[in-house]
Amino acid sequence: MDRETHLKRLRFRAWHRGIKEADLLIGGFFDKYSGGWSEAERLLFEELLEEQDVDIMAWAIGAAPVPPRYAGTIMTALRTLTYVPIAE
């Protein structure tokens, strides 16, 4: 599948997780960073989307150790949390 179609599918999956908190965390992360991803990073993110939301959220906030297969640039960016909108 071409890059744009792949990104559209990933965006849908990132924003439709099942709980609002996960949608904001994972969808917001996707919107901010996905445009610059390589094919390898897109495939790793696709693999990450297969994980449980509670696990992804725990890795992102540092409540659980990140599995070695996800350690790297994507998880480092996910852990910054600067992409989550906060109403003031």
Side-chain angles (χ1 to χ4, degrees):
M1 117 181 34
D2 67 81
R3 182 180 193 282
E4 289 308 311
T5 301
H6 193 213
L7 285 171
K8 285 178 185 178
R9 286 181 175 202
L10 291 176
R11 185 177 194 283
F12 181 86
R13 290 181 60 203
W15 276 105
H16 295 87
R17 303 298 300 175
I19 59 172
K20 186 66 172 175
E21 293 83 355
D23 291 348
L24 291 171
L25 178 80
I26 300 165
F29 172 77
F30 177 85
D31 285 353
K32 180 162 184 170
Y33 292 103
S34 64
W37 288 345
S38 66
E39 182 179 358
E41 290 170 319
R42 287 193 322 269
L43 293 174
L44 181 62
F45 184 75
E46 185 172 33
E47 184 181 331
L48 179 68
L49 291 176
E50 296 299 322
E51 300 290 344
Q52 297 294 314
D53 292 344
V54 294
D55 293 332
I56 297 170
M57 294 173 75
W59 301 331
I61 65 172
V66 177
R69 70 183 175 277
Y70 297 123
T73 57
I74 287 183
M75 191 54 65
T76 299
L78 183 67
R79 295 185 82 176
T80 64
L81 300 177
T82 58
Y83 50 85
V84 177
I86 299 172
E88 294 182 32

